[in-house]
Amino acid sequence: MTIKTVTTQPFTDQRPGTSGLRKRVDVFQQPNYLENFVQSVFNTLTDRRGQTLVIGGDGRYYNREALQIILRMAAANGVGRMLVGQGGILSTPAVSCLIRKYRALGGLVLSASHNPGGPEGDFGIKYNVSNGGPAPERITEAIFQNSLNIREYYTLDAADIQLDELGEQQLGAMQVVVVDSVADYAELMEQLFDFERMSQALRSGALSIRFDGMHAVTGPYAHAILEQRLGAPAGSVIRGTPLPDFGGAHPDPNLAHAQELAALMFSPQAPDLGAASDGDGDRNMILGRECYITPSDSLAILVANATLVPGYAKGLAGVARSMPTSRAVDRVAEQLGIECFETPTGWKFFGNLLDAGRITLCGEESFGTSSDHVREKDGLWAVLFWLNILAVRQESVSAIAHQHWTRYGRNFYTRHDYEAVDAERAQALMDALRRRGSELVGQRFGAFEIEYCDDFSYTDPIDETVSQGQGLRIGFSGSGGGPRIVYRLSGTGTQGATLRVYIERHEPTPERHDQDPQIALAELITLSQQLAEIEAYIGRTAPSVIT
Ligand code: G1P
Ligand code: ZN
């Protein structure tokens, strides 16, 4: 089969963001747009010849078309073997699992995560490296530089691969292996969790679960693991079929977008555990009966209960959280006497710590939690972790959370997002706040006195890479580290800019633990709007999304 060389012109907007390249579908459908980016990835992988790569996506619109284009280009670029998820389906954590298990050079995930899909929605592509984790900045930057100078790409004149048939096929000199999307991942889960105990509890009805697949990638995984292997009754998984437009819904697991699940969990029919995952299966939301667990609390509770789970029975090496994540886990780590790292937003910053064995569990406030079993956040893993804890403790989610808060205090926490705002004005807001930083220190606002104001900078403890400008932190004096407000601009949005404001306060008194976080944090929320002059800069009096 002859290799075709196609002449092309660079696009100037192919710099990967927090999590790969994300654009609207029609941007990706422009002639040569996807091809340019993919060729830039291959050009960066100078050692790709004869190697294995993994590829799959979350089933969103354009998934199959993009896969066929990339497979032909991989063959023309000398890749030895491609492992493809059946039907083009692989969750992000499953890609990470396959890269590690089959010692692949890396992998490509086709997804725009929790962004809406369909012809009017978003598409995305991200590259993961040989440890199974997202490509570090030096690689994404090299890909971007390549994309600015690209003049040609390589492909084959060849028929489409049969994506639905398991087994080997040939594409030019490259072998394509269509693999079961779930099997290897399910096997890994079985090594970590007490499947027998969970299965007994689910089959006997002692424990019940409702999992919302949001018509995205985790449906097949949840059907296979929760219903088929663990024996949860049919119907425990809802919206379990991946659809190209996610059924018109937004595959983001939060209370606003998983409404049916949220309504059930706050009704008399609620099962013991309610959970949801996002477009590509790396995020998770955890609910108990009449109880919502923030991702920050979930991380802290998993860490505190880790030794109840077989895969973590020996204890944890250390833990990490992204900077804007609440400091609830810090208190648990302190009591356990293990290290706790504060990293910039984005999963890639956990990679070195996990590889070096410095941490075992880590998480972000944005519904991401995982451990050293893969190098991505893992939605279903978090759900199984909770299920395992519930099967052992035989207490409700709410009781477990309340006991946790009684012991460590509760970190009231909320994130306010101002979406699709003017990018220049959002930048001006951040710049102004940064300039005023030093003059704010020592100032008093009602009961709150500003103790520090800084622009978060991180030096990776393993390779000493410095990442600057990772978000403005305003810390107030007080117990438990003091209240805190964090401002940063999103790196994953596709329309204008999104300003994220993270607000947190530690409450030691158990009698006050049942307050609504929006009420417990009301004064700080108002202050967050005043300090940054949000209305003056971006013309918004209220956030678009509250989590
Ligand atoms: C968001 C989240 C971040 C997460 C990323 C990818 O990024 O805040 O924690 O790692 O999505 O899922 P942001 O849009 O804030 O840059
Ligand atoms: Zn995701």
Side-chain angles (χ1 to χ4, degrees):
M1 223 168 279
T2 46
I3 295 173
K4 256 188 5 187
T5 302
V6 183
T7 312
T8 186
Q9 296 290 320
F11 292 88
T12 54
D13 64 345
Q14 298 197 324
R15 173 178 261 136
T18 313
S19 220
L21 184 70
R22 273 186 211 173
K23 301 282 174 195
R24 290 175 53 99
V25 165
D26 53 12
V27 173
F28 267 105
Q29 286 173 324
Q30 296 173 84
N32 298 347
Y33 193 89
L34 174 69
E35 289 85 346
N36 274 16
F37 186 75
V38 171
Q39 187 62 50
S40 303
V41 172
F42 288 137
N43 289 346
T44 312
L45 305 179
T46 46
D47 51 352
R48 66 185 180 272
R49 297 208 166 263
Q51 293 269 14
T52 297
L53 290 176
V54 176
I55 188 167
D58 62 8
R60 70 177 59 223
Y61 185 81
Y62 202 51
N63 193 50
R64 283 178 170 257
E65 292 82 347
L67 255 164
Q68 300 288 359
I69 293 172
I70 298 169
L71 288 173
R72 281 193 273 269
M73 288 184 65
N77 275 279
V79 173
R81 185 168 71 137
M82 283 294 254
L83 305 182
V84 190
Q86 191 174 19
I89 293 288
L90 281 177
S91 73
T92 289
V95 169
S96 190
C97 161
L98 290 172
I99 293 174
R100 294 169 69 78
K101 183 164 180 178
Y102 297 104
R103 300 182 193 286
L105 174 67
L108 290 156
V109 186
L110 307 182
S111 171
S113 189
H114 51 287
N115 293 12
E120 316 280 303
D122 288 340
F123 189 74
I125 174 167
K126 55 184 176 177
Y127 182 68
N128 281 24
V129 293
S130 60
N131 73 350
E137 246 158 14
R138 104 191 110 71
I139 295 183
T140 53
E141 196 50 33
I143 294 172
F144 175 56
Q145 291 306 329
N146 226 288
S147 77
L148 293 176
N149 298 307
I150 194 160
R151 292 283 171 247
E152 55 189 33
Y153 68 83
Y154 313 104
T155 185
L156 290 187
D157 253 330
D160 280 359
I161 285 292
Q162 296 298 324
L163 291 174
D164 300 301
E165 259 168 55
L166 288 178
E168 293 168 15
Q169 298 168 57
Q170 205 63 31
L171 187 57
M174 183 178 83
Q175 190 185 50
V176 178
V177 189
V178 177
V179 299
D180 185 300
S181 311
V182 179
D184 293 292
Y185 175 82
E187 194 184 296
L188 178 58
M189 293 302 111
E190 226 161 323
Q191 289 162 16
L192 297 173
F193 300 109
D194 191 342
F195 268 43
E196 215 177 288
R197 193 160 190 164
M198 290 148 78
S199 169
Q200 262 168 20
L202 286 167
R203 284 179 207 274
S204 69
L207 193 56
S208 53
I209 183 172
R210 186 70 53 95
F211 177 86
D212 185 353
M214 306 193 93
H215 285 311
V217 81
T218 42
Y221 295 83
H223 278 305
I225 297 173
L226 297 174
E227 292 182 349
Q228 280 145 32
R229 295 202 185 199
L230 290 173
S236 298
V237 176
I238 58 171
R239 297 201 283 175
T241 310
L243 298 176
D245 66 347
F246 306 119
H250 197 135
D252 199 1
N254 57 40
L255 293 174
H257 294 123
Q259 273 165 5
E260 183 187 337
L261 177 73
L264 173 73
M265 296 311 294
F266 287 86
S267 79
Q269 287 76 40
D272 298 298
L273 181 64
S277 192
D278 72 329
D280 61 328
D282 56 359
R283 294 186 173 200
N284 74 91
M285 175 174 67
I286 299 294
L287 297 161
R289 219 173 279 123
E290 295 203 9
C291 153
Y292 161 73
I293 303 291
T294 67
S296 299
D297 275 348
S298 178
L299 175 63
I301 293 171
L302 297 189
V303 169
N305 290 277
T307 52
L308 301 179
V309 172
Y312 307 93
K314 290 200 301 276
L316 310 176
V319 293
R321 60 161 173 84
S322 69
M323 182 272 281
T325 302
S326 102
R327 290 158 295 173
V329 70
D330 301 34
R331 315 184 139 262
V332 182
E334 198 184 324
Q335 291 228 356
L336 291 173
I338 57 175
E339 278 190 294
C340 178
F341 297 88
E342 182 175 48
T343 57
T345 295
W347 203 261
K348 57 181 173 240
F349 293 100
F350 296 131
N352 278 348
L353 294 167
L354 289 163
D355 283 349
R358 292 282 284 276
I359 59 171
T360 314
L361 257 65
C362 48
E364 297 192 272
E365 50 68 39
S366 53
F367 300 86
T369 338
S370 195
S371 82
D372 57 1
H373 68 291
V374 287
R375 291 295 180 274
E376 284 279 4
K377 54 196 172 205
D378 189 344
L380 210 48
W381 169 90
V383 178
L384 291 167
F385 207 126
W386 267 96
L387 209 53
N388 199 149
I389 293 173
L390 294 176
V392 175
R393 287 189 52 170
Q394 301 182 14
E395 289 171 288
S396 71
V397 170
S398 166
I400 290 172
H402 278 85
Q403 286 170 39
H404 187 91
W405 296 332
T406 301
R407 176 157 178 198
Y408 299 98
R410 177 170 183 184
N411 284 68
F412 280 109
Y413 185 82
T414 188
R415 180 175 110 182
H416 285 204
D417 291 335
Y418 299 80
E419 292 182 335
V421 301
D422 183 277
E424 273 173 36
R425 279 189 263 166
Q427 193 55 55
L429 175 151
M430 292 294 286
D431 292 343
L433 203 53
R434 195 174 291 116
R435 272 198 307 275
R436 284 177 55 216
S438 54
E439 94 196 30
L440 284 174
V441 176
Q443 282 193 38
R444 228 173 208 296
F445 298 88
F448 302 101
E449 184 180 338
I450 299 187
E451 199 172 83
Y452 64 87
C453 178
D454 64 10
D455 195 353
F456 182 59
S457 159
Y458 177 69
T459 306
D460 186 296
I462 312 301
D463 66 15
E464 292 182 352
T465 308
V466 179
S467 306
Q468 283 171 325
Q470 298 296 321
L472 296 172
R473 305 188 292 186
I474 299 189
F476 301 87
S477 41
S479 78
R484 191 175 73 147
I485 303 175
V486 173
Y487 300 87
R488 58 178 285 281
L489 297 182
S490 157
T492 58
T494 51
Q495 266 175 54
T498 292
L499 171 69
R500 304 203 195 284
V501 186
Y502 312 79
I503 301 149
E504 172 189 8
R505 174 172 80 80
H506 180 256
E507 175 57 70
T509 315
E511 289 69 39
R512 299 205 190 117
H513 286 165
D514 271 325
Q515 283 177 81
D516 175 345
Q518 300 306 314
I519 293 168
L521 295 168
E523 285 174 87
L524 281 165
I525 291 171
T526 309
L527 190 53
S528 76
Q529 294 167 339
Q530 286 167 356
L531 280 175
E533 297 178 64
I534 291 180
E535 190 181 352
Y537 275 98
I538 58 175
R540 299 281 174 91
T541 52
S544 0
V545 181
I546 296 179
T547 45

